[in-house]
Amino acid sequence: MDLRQFLMCLSLCTAFALSKPTEKKDRVHHEPQLSDKVHNDAQSFDYDHDAFLGAEEAKTFDQLTPEESKERLGKIVSKIDGDKDGFVTVDELKDWIKFAQKRWIYEDVERQWKGHDLNEDGLVSWEEYKNATYGYVLDDPDPDDGFNYKQMMVRDERRFKMADKDGDLIATKEEFTAFLHPEEYDYMKDIVVQETMEDIDKNADGFIDLEEYIGDMYSHDGNADEPEWVKTEREQFVEFRDKNRDGKMDKDETKDWILPSDYDHAEAEARHLVYESDQNKDGKLTKEEIVDKYDLFVGSQATDFGEALVRHDEF
């Protein structure tokens, strides 16, 4: 499937989804839960395993012997110690947990990197991205599917320039990650808000009014009666979204809506793991302290043998 077919399919799927009056589009970027397990260390460390490794990776450790788990954990600790000073701090552990929880993002970047680093120099320029993504479709002033590729390219270029910190129009892998997943980076949040407002602000006055807000997530589709959740969203707009009560959301109000200041689960878990493992109470962990408490961080056949057998049968 080429780019044009893919984008047309995507637009049709989006239109179909939005045509369902009972379905709600959610534009809010919440931090995902670290685990769906109950966090109760008196019963098990399953929550901690999922938080530290990511749920999928945690399953693989349940198949290992304690010796194998300790060996692999030791290698992970070396990666977590970013400044290589021999200690793991709360901040380093928090960064690792965030990485483990969002490993799929980095896997997505790796896949796209291979298709856009055309000269294989370890960088992706704007020209490389533009040619690989749009290519020949830009030569057609009136595409059959009616999709405005040039408008999309202008929007992409603006986001690429925002991600490109040094302004050379050449992205490192970190900058390319910020371009593809801007909601994950503080310095990209303004572009997330801008793009969201452009999507919803149909009269282009720079604000989101109540009807634009509702219209983005709900299509009347000829129905006279609105679902209850739509009525609730109207109330949410008036009571909480429109903070200054002027009947519309400005940039700051939109940012508060789509990028809420959520509770930092990763930091809380990092502090918990340090507290439970810090034998000399110096506020940081050595590799030995972590490996000594390996059953808190990772599973093994010794700590979770019964569940490991069940999972083995399932897979």
Side-chain angles (χ1 to χ4, degrees):
M1 180 184 293
D2 64 22
L3 175 69
R4 181 184 300 184
Q5 291 171 320
F6 171 75
L7 291 174
M8 182 170 65
C9 178
L10 181 64
S11 63
L12 288 173
C13 290
T14 302
F16 176 74
L18 292 178
S19 69
K20 296 181 179 180
T22 57
E23 289 196 0
K24 177 181 177 182
K25 180 192 292 186
D26 189 4
R27 290 188 177 270
V28 181
H29 298 278
H30 288 293
E31 284 291 316
Q33 294 294 317
L34 300 182
S35 173
D36 58 5
K37 313 286 176 48
V38 176
H39 195 186
N40 185 350
D41 287 354
Q43 295 182 359
S44 77
F45 296 135
D46 286 347
Y47 178 97
D48 302 296
H49 298 167
D50 285 358
F52 180 71
L53 295 167
E56 290 304 313
E57 182 68 11
K59 292 176 184 177
T60 68
F61 273 77
D62 292 338
Q63 316 301 321
L64 304 178
T65 65
E67 291 72 23
E68 290 170 329
S69 280
K70 291 178 183 179
E71 181 181 359
R72 288 181 61 177
L73 176 59
K75 293 177 180 178
I76 291 174
V77 173
S78 298
K79 296 179 181 179
I80 299 173
D81 179 16
D83 57 10
K84 306 303 178 187
D85 66 350
F87 297 97
V88 170
T89 64
V90 169
D91 284 341
E92 287 174 330
L93 197 50
K94 179 182 71 172
D95 289 343
W96 168 261
I97 290 171
K98 287 182 178 291
F99 168 81
Q101 293 295 315
K102 297 176 179 177
R103 191 176 276 112
W104 67 271
I105 289 177
Y106 300 99
E107 292 172 351
D108 173 59
V109 171
E110 285 298 328
R111 284 192 299 269
Q112 298 211 43
W113 185 265
K114 294 174 182 177
H116 292 96
D117 181 13
L118 302 181
N119 63 4
E120 299 183 349
D121 65 346
L123 299 165
V124 172
S125 69
W126 167 247
E127 286 300 315
E128 283 180 308
Y129 179 82
K130 181 177 68 173
N131 292 334
T133 304
Y134 297 100
Y136 70 90
V137 299
L138 295 175
D139 297 329
D140 187 351
D142 188 24
D144 295 336
D145 55 34
F147 207 93
N148 192 331
Y149 297 103
K150 289 188 178 180
Q151 186 177 25
M152 180 185 292
M153 188 188 71
V154 169
R155 181 159 157 159
D156 272 355
E157 184 176 12
R158 182 182 64 191
R159 189 198 285 190
F160 193 97
K161 288 178 177 178
M162 179 73 74
D164 175 31
K165 285 186 171 182
D166 56 12
D168 61 358
L169 285 180
I170 300 174
T172 63
K173 189 163 288 186
E174 185 72 9
E175 290 170 335
F176 193 62
T177 304
F179 167 68
L180 294 176
H181 299 277
E183 69 283 353
E184 302 296 333
Y185 291 80
D186 285 339
Y187 80 101
M188 295 293 291
K189 288 184 176 179
D190 283 346
I191 202 73
V192 176
V193 174
Q194 185 175 357
E195 290 178 359
T196 301
M197 294 191 74
E198 288 172 352
D199 289 342
I200 303 175
D201 178 22
K202 300 306 181 185
N203 63 8
D205 66 348
F207 299 93
I208 298 175
D209 62 35
L210 175 57
E211 293 311 311
E212 288 170 335
Y213 173 79
I214 295 298
D216 179 61
M217 62 182 72
Y218 168 73
S219 172
H220 284 272
D221 199 27
N223 294 336
D225 297 328
E226 291 182 342
E228 282 300 316
W229 68 261
V230 177
K231 297 176 182 177
T232 301
E233 285 295 339
R234 289 185 181 278
E235 295 170 0
Q236 289 282 319
F237 183 94
V238 173
E239 295 297 325
F240 302 106
R241 310 277 184 250
D242 177 20
K243 296 184 182 339
N244 62 5
R245 301 291 195 271
D246 65 351
K248 53 194 177 184
M249 285 195 295
D250 58 23
K251 180 180 177 181
D252 290 336
E253 290 167 331
T254 302
K255 185 175 183 178
D256 288 343
W257 165 44
I258 65 171
L259 297 168
S261 300
D262 288 337
Y263 175 74
D264 196 332
H265 295 279
E267 181 173 356
E269 177 64 10
R271 292 187 180 281
H272 168 68
L273 293 174
V274 170
Y275 176 81
E276 293 294 334
S277 309
D278 184 14
Q279 296 174 11
N280 62 2
K281 302 303 177 186
D282 64 349
K284 52 190 177 182
L285 302 178
T286 63
K287 180 184 289 188
E288 290 72 22
E289 286 176 320
I290 293 175
V291 174
D292 283 348
K293 194 71 173 180
Y294 82 99
D295 56 336
L296 172 65
F297 291 85
V298 298
S300 75
Q301 291 177 354
T303 58
D304 212 358
F305 185 67
E307 189 172 354
L309 288 179
V310 172
R311 287 174 177 166
H312 179 73
D313 290 341
E314 290 176 348
F315 292 94

